[in-house]
Amino acid sequence: MRCNKMSICKAWAAVGKGIYVGLLGVVLATTGTAYGQGEAADGVASRFSRYQQTALPEKLFLHLDRPLYLSGEMLWFKIYAVEGTYSRPLPLSTVAYVEVLDKEKRPVAQAKIPLKQATGQGSLPLSSSLPSGTYTVRAYTNWMKNFGPEYYFQNTVTVINPLVASGSAAAKDSAAYDVQFFPEGGNLVQGLSSKVAFKVTAKTGTGVAAQGKLLNQSGTVVATFKTLRYGMGNFTFAPEAGASYTVLITVGKQVMRRSLPRVFEQGYVMHLENNGTGPLTLTVRSTSSQPSSISLLAHSRQKVAVAAQGQLVNGQATFSINKDQLLDGISHFTVFDAQQKPLCERLYFQQPKKKLSITVRPDKNQYTIRDKVAVELATATQDAQRTGANLSMAVYRLDSLTTAPTADINSYLWLTSDLKGRVEHPEYYVTDASPETVEAADNLMLTQGWSRFRWEDALATNPATFSYSPELQGHIIQGRITQAGTNRPVKGAVAYLASPSRITRLANDKSNDDGLVHFEINDFDRPKEIVVQIDPQQDSTHRIEILNPFSQQYATTPTTPFVPLTRFQQDYTKRHFQTQVQAIYSKKYENRYNIPPADSTAFYGKPDELYYLDKYTRFKVLEEVMREYVPGVIVRIRKDGFHFLVVDKVNKTVFTENPLVLLDGVPIFNINKIMAMDPLKIRKLEVVDSHYFQGVSLYSGIVSFTTYKGDLEGFNLSSRALIQQYEGVQSQREFYSPRYDTPEQKQGRLPDMRNLLYWNPAITTTSTEPSKLEFFTGDQAGRYLVVVQGLSPKGAAGSSSFTLEVKQAL
């Protein structure tokens, strides 16, 4: 499989026609000059539209069952796959890669999760030897690897291990703060007034309240400012020629001295004014007074919304933008010169209007231990119209350790997935519509703005090409063929990959310029032994290796350090005891899987000849079996030994080349070795008596032997074959939740110390009836948080939560 524009467009067409039709908005400008969509703006927009048709944006969101775990516990998750513009479910990729990374960005748990109809579910056991700390859960698809690790889903969780030291030492300078400044549009320019956003964070990465002064070289106060929300704020000033500036930041009693970003002598600045319910006003200023053409391109997550051309008159141009032209969420505004070179850029956030309302109704206000909880779920659009949705639900115990909320699907899809770095309380920006929230959101756009692509790539003359293909039919196993001794890539070598089994599956590919080969095998799940071979008729000196499918690139976002608190030591110990007790009595339920029935059809379909050898007189020599029972295969002996010639019944002739010979699905290129095998170990023989095309290969018929166990029965493969264990996609593990329907079950003596009462990643609601669920409480009284998240078929995302009170029975 190769990744190109045509294959991506076909894949997208299969997902949903018409979603990505580009609509260019025409903008009107003020300042007394008429502006329209000119050639420059049209050229930028058309090139960018072409780019976005090949660079289909794909996002993943993971609903994690809880924010805090003890080492040895299971981490459960539900995956929602969406297209990145409208957040509609996107059934493009069929495999997602999920990892848990430690503070050094080393994976401590990994899994390949199958995706069906844009959703998936899985679990990761957290080793009992993991030290306490903050860990990052990240998820991505093979296609998403083309756009960098900042594009992956990422969320932090806390792992507690009272028995293993965390390795986290208290910072020597715990009062140190990080201060950053971000000029609107990108640069400070002499003589041009600019808004400057700033962000002040502690070592934990959280914003802190601060105030400051901007001083010139003579100590005169040029501007004063203070933070608004989460350590962010802004101020406005115009740098003067020849002046130097110093910033004094005060946090509590600490005063810090910082410098501004570089001030340029010449250049451009931009300013976006939000006029409340009116249109947006974007002003561009330049140090040059000469008239010049500029163009504005606004896109909402790679969908072109506005393309307009303007003229700088006396160093200024103004654009008026109707907010209705922009999609919900984050939009990018970029100004280009006449040579289509980007000059200024900034982000703008528009609260999502499309939301999923999730109503959760428990049958009682309070419960006792081992009590049944019945819950009714209903979903509706923002205008209270019933709608169907795909949901997931977690119920976990609240205690002194569990304080942080889990990631919210609505704020992630519309906000944090398009920003770089950590966003504090993202739900604040999508739920509150006050003027203060609008200003806080604008500060966030200025301080954490980020583009997922380079304009050089997006506006290139040639269509974009990508290294990683979307996995449309299943997991793609990638390998590299090199010359032995030199490690130079080998082009044009044909390789074969099989997994010994009674189900015959085989993949092949021809290496590209980089020596890469891609093998696609459907229904490849769980750990299996794979055999990879290169056709020895081409060259027996080549070597092949299987590449790691997990991304080796990591986001630069720092992980919040974990500092264990001594006042929680008793809580750590108690929680550890509960986890140990639960593991002792319910460990046997952890490894129960829902394994769907496998398709037993061989890759070549129904054979032309089929022989179950137990139905015939058994011979001790395979040559006798072939000559006596298999008329469709002629056995010949030449100077180099045995050869098979398949009778071509279609053309009523005999092939002159050896057929593809398989043993338990593994190609056997040396027919002398297969003829030396004990036929009593062979259960079944199948023959395809015509030409067969597969991938890059044409076979002169197929002769397939299958043993009783499907494990090659001790057959010695070529020493040049690569044989290794390979982890397929994860099978679905069942979540164990005991029931207490009868008095005998309620009085059972086995302890039930579950912290996670319930996890259900496969809930569906309809537009006509609510969904009804039930589960049982355990032996621990307390408050339990119920969290429900989900997505509608049209891309409306939502979440809901409430607490259950569980008390000891009187």
Side-chain angles (χ1 to χ4, degrees):
M1 177 179 293
R2 292 293 181 267
C3 184
N4 54 44
K5 179 179 179 180
M6 184 61 67
S7 66
I8 300 304
C9 290
K10 287 181 178 178
W12 184 247
V15 180
K17 296 181 179 178
I19 293 179
Y20 258 85
V21 177
L23 298 176
L24 302 182
V26 179
V27 216
L28 298 178
T30 59
T31 69
T33 307
Y35 295 94
Q37 184 177 309
E39 290 185 7
D42 185 52
V44 171
S46 60
R47 287 193 180 189
F48 184 70
S49 294
R50 183 184 65 185
Y51 170 79
Q52 63 97 64
Q53 288 176 10
T54 59
L56 303 177
E58 182 182 27
K59 293 181 182 180
L60 297 183
F61 173 77
L62 265 63
H63 177 190
L64 305 179
D65 60 321
R66 47 195 157 158
L68 183 141
Y69 304 84
L70 257 69
S71 55
E73 288 188 322
M74 191 72 66
L75 184 154
W76 302 85
F77 54 87
K78 163 77 171 283
I79 303 176
Y80 295 88
V82 303
E83 50 85 20
T85 301
Y86 297 94
S87 294
R88 296 169 184 165
L90 177 62
L92 177 69
S93 297
T94 57
V95 179
Y97 299 85
V98 181
E99 300 180 275
V100 180
L101 308 178
D102 65 11
K103 63 180 181 179
E104 304 297 334
K105 302 187 186 301
R106 295 172 300 197
V108 298
Q110 296 177 316
K112 310 176 190 79
I113 307 299
L115 299 177
K116 294 182 180 179
Q117 295 304 310
T119 64
Q121 52 182 288
S123 56
L124 289 171
L126 300 176
S127 171
S128 58
S129 62
L130 284 182
S132 298
T134 301
Y135 292 79
T136 300
V137 179
R138 71 173 187 168
Y140 50 91
T141 65
N142 201 54
W143 176 244
M144 290 169 64
K145 289 194 286 187
N146 291 301
F147 308 101
E150 304 288 355
Y151 192 47
Y152 304 163
F153 169 87
Q154 294 188 104
N155 190 47
T156 57
V157 296
T158 302
V159 176
I160 302 294
N161 189 340
L163 304 181
V164 179
S166 67
S168 300
K172 294 181 179 179
D173 185 9
S174 59
Y177 299 96
D178 181 44
V179 182
Q180 299 180 70
F181 298 94
F182 306 87
E184 183 179 18
N187 295 320
L188 291 173
V189 180
Q190 288 181 6
L192 300 181
S193 178
S194 292
K195 177 190 283 188
V196 180
F198 64 92
K199 187 173 185 179
V200 184
T201 56
K203 279 189 173 279
T204 58
T206 57
V208 295
Q211 56 186 0
K213 299 177 182 179
L214 177 64
L215 309 177
N216 61 18
Q217 67 275 15
S218 61
T220 303
V221 176
V222 178
T224 60
F225 53 87
K226 63 178 181 179
T227 54
L228 177 66
R229 280 269 186 169
Y230 311 124
M232 293 176 288
N234 69 78
F235 59 92
T236 301
F237 93 112
E240 296 180 355
S244 60
Y245 298 93
T246 301
V247 183
L248 298 181
I249 302 288
T250 303
V251 180
K253 296 182 179 181
Q254 182 175 353
V255 179
M256 298 166 287
R257 185 180 295 269
R258 296 290 187 268
S259 299
L260 285 177
R262 174 189 173 188
V263 177
F264 293 84
E265 293 184 7
Q266 297 180 341
Y268 299 80
V269 298
M270 71 187 304
H271 175 63
L272 185 67
E273 188 71 30
N274 189 347
N275 302 310
T277 57
L280 299 173
T281 301
L282 189 142
T283 303
V284 182
R285 294 185 177 89
S286 170
T287 52
S288 173
S289 59
Q290 297 297 320
S292 60
S293 296
I294 60 172
S295 56
L296 169 68
L297 179 71
H299 70 91
S300 302
R301 295 175 301 283
Q302 295 185 207
K303 181 186 183 302
V304 175
V306 173
Q309 186 172 348
Q311 192 80 8
L312 282 167
V313 178
N314 295 323
Q316 180 171 314
T318 304
F319 298 89
S320 181
I321 303 158
N322 190 335
K323 294 179 183 178
D324 292 337
Q325 293 178 276
L326 306 175
L327 299 182
D328 290 347
I330 293 178
S331 296
H332 290 243
F333 292 90
T334 308
V335 176
F336 297 85
D337 63 13
Q339 288 72 44
Q340 298 184 358
K341 177 183 177 182
L343 303 174
C344 305
E345 187 170 56
R346 65 152 295 164
L347 273 59
Y348 169 75
F349 177 69
Q350 190 159 265
Q351 282 196 349
K353 307 178 190 67
K354 183 172 58 176
K355 297 180 182 179
L356 181 68
S357 174
I358 303 175
T359 303
V360 189
R361 296 188 182 93
D363 59 333
K364 292 188 292 187
N365 294 326
Q366 187 174 293
Y367 299 88
T368 61
I369 62 173
R370 302 199 177 188
D371 199 0
K372 184 168 77 171
V373 180
V375 175
E376 188 176 275
L377 295 170
T379 50
T381 60
Q382 64 276 5
D383 53 0
Q385 296 294 318
R386 280 279 187 90
T387 183
N390 196 310
L391 309 175
S392 47
M393 176 172 148
V395 184
Y396 59 91
R397 189 169 185 265
L398 291 172
D399 54 24
S400 58
L401 305 181
T402 308
T403 56
T406 55
D408 169 70
I409 186 171
N410 193 44
S411 61
Y412 178 80
L413 295 181
W414 296 110
L415 180 68
T416 54
S417 60
D418 291 314
L419 294 176
K420 188 176 183 180
R422 178 191 177 194
V423 178
E424 287 185 75
H425 302 286
E427 68 283 352
Y428 165 75
Y429 301 99
V430 299
T431 55
D432 187 86
S434 66
E436 180 182 307
T437 305
V438 173
E439 184 180 356
D442 200 56
N443 289 334
L444 180 67
M445 295 302 102
L446 294 173
T447 57
Q448 294 187 223
W450 174 56
S451 180
R452 299 190 183 283
F453 55 86
R454 298 189 313 155
W455 281 112
E456 294 87 342
D457 299 331
L459 302 182
T461 304
N462 297 322
T465 58
F466 302 98
S467 301
Y468 301 97
S469 302
E471 295 177 305
L472 304 175
Q473 304 296 330
H475 176 51
I476 297 175
I477 302 175
Q478 188 172 0
R480 179 184 288 113
I481 300 175
T482 56
Q483 292 179 347
T486 66
N487 281 333
R488 290 183 178 179
V490 175
K491 178 184 177 181
V494 178
Y496 302 84
L497 182 145
S499 178
S501 170
R502 287 182 293 182
I503 301 176
T504 305
R505 294 195 181 96
L506 177 69
N508 64 49
D509 195 22
K510 182 181 291 186
S511 59
N512 62 16
D513 293 343
D514 299 318
L516 298 177
V517 287
H518 303 79
F519 305 106
E520 186 174 83
I521 298 184
N522 294 335
D523 300 324
F524 190 90
D525 60 352
R526 294 171 290 170
K528 286 185 173 68
E529 184 178 77
I530 60 172
V531 179
V532 190
Q533 302 177 83
I534 303 172
D535 190 341
Q537 294 182 357
Q538 294 182 318
D539 196 321
S540 60
T541 62
H542 297 338
R543 63 182 297 272
I544 188 167
E545 61 175 330
I546 295 299
L547 304 181
N548 183 358
F550 290 93
S551 175
Q552 303 301 301
Q553 295 181 317
Y554 302 94
T556 56
T557 306
T559 302
T560 303
F562 172 79
V563 179
L565 301 176
T566 55
R567 70 175 184 272
F568 289 147
Q569 190 57 48
Q570 289 186 349
D571 299 305
Y572 296 152
T573 304
K574 180 181 178 180
R575 180 79 175 270
H576 176 69
F577 171 76
Q578 295 166 349
T579 303
Q580 293 296 101
V581 171
Q582 189 65 23
I584 292 172
Y585 290 101
S586 64
K587 196 74 173 178
K588 60 182 179 180
Y589 299 108
E590 277 192 4
N591 294 317
R592 299 193 305 185
Y593 296 89
N594 291 321
I595 300 177
D599 183 3
S600 60
T601 305
F603 73 89
Y604 47 76
K606 184 178 179 181
D608 298 302
E609 301 176 33
L610 172 62
Y611 305 95
Y612 288 97
L613 299 188
D614 285 339
K615 295 182 178 180
Y616 301 85
T617 302
R618 302 304 302 255
F619 293 106
K620 295 183 178 180
V621 179
L622 189 57
E623 180 183 359
E624 296 183 57
V625 174
M626 300 298 294
R627 293 185 184 277
E628 292 292 330
Y629 300 140
V630 190
V633 180
I634 299 173
V635 180
R636 291 285 186 264
I637 301 178
R638 298 172 182 168
K639 290 182 180 180
D640 57 349
F642 287 100
H643 289 262
F644 288 163
L645 303 179
V646 172
V647 178
D648 182 0
K649 293 184 180 179
V650 175
N651 298 304
K652 302 187 184 310
T653 184
V654 177
F655 291 120
T656 58
E657 302 291 333
N658 283 322
L660 172 68
V661 179
L662 303 171
L663 177 62
D664 291 334
V666 178
I668 306 298
F669 299 105
N670 189 336
I671 296 180
N672 293 328
K673 294 185 67 175
I674 196 70
M675 293 295 279
M677 186 173 181
D678 184 355
L680 298 179
K681 296 180 179 180
I682 298 174
R683 174 178 175 266
K684 182 176 65 173
L685 169 60
E686 296 178 322
V687 179
V688 176
D689 52 20
S690 61
H691 272 127
Y692 189 86
F693 291 88
Q694 187 207 19
V696 298
S697 298
L698 170 62
Y699 307 129
S700 298
I702 299 174
V703 179
S704 177
F705 300 93
T706 305
T707 64
Y708 287 90
K709 296 180 180 179
D711 60 356
L712 300 179
E713 285 283 0
F715 184 87
N716 291 321
L717 295 170
S718 168
S719 60
R720 297 192 177 275
L722 173 65
I723 305 172
Q724 71 175 62
Q725 283 291 116
Y726 191 87
E727 186 84 29
V729 297
Q730 185 182 87
S731 295
Q732 184 180 325
R733 183 183 271 112
E734 293 182 2
F735 177 78
Y736 171 65
S737 180
R739 299 187 62 88
Y740 301 107
D741 294 298
T742 65
E744 291 77 12
Q745 290 174 325
K746 287 189 175 184
Q747 295 171 8
R749 301 180 62 183
L750 292 181
D752 184 355
M753 309 299 288
R754 287 173 297 144
N755 179 266
L756 179 66
L757 285 185
Y758 187 66
W759 167 250
N760 190 337
I763 305 171
T764 55
T765 59
T766 67
S767 59
T768 55
E769 293 186 2
S771 179
K772 297 180 180 179
L773 308 171
E774 61 179 40
F775 58 92
F776 289 81
T777 62
D779 292 341
Q780 294 192 80
R783 296 169 62 246
Y784 290 81
L785 185 64
V786 181
V787 179
V788 183
Q789 305 212 54
L791 188 70
S792 77
K794 294 185 178 181
S799 62
S800 180
S801 62
F802 69 96
T803 56
L804 291 177
E805 191 77 28
V806 178
K807 294 191 174 184
Q808 293 289 344
L810 298 177

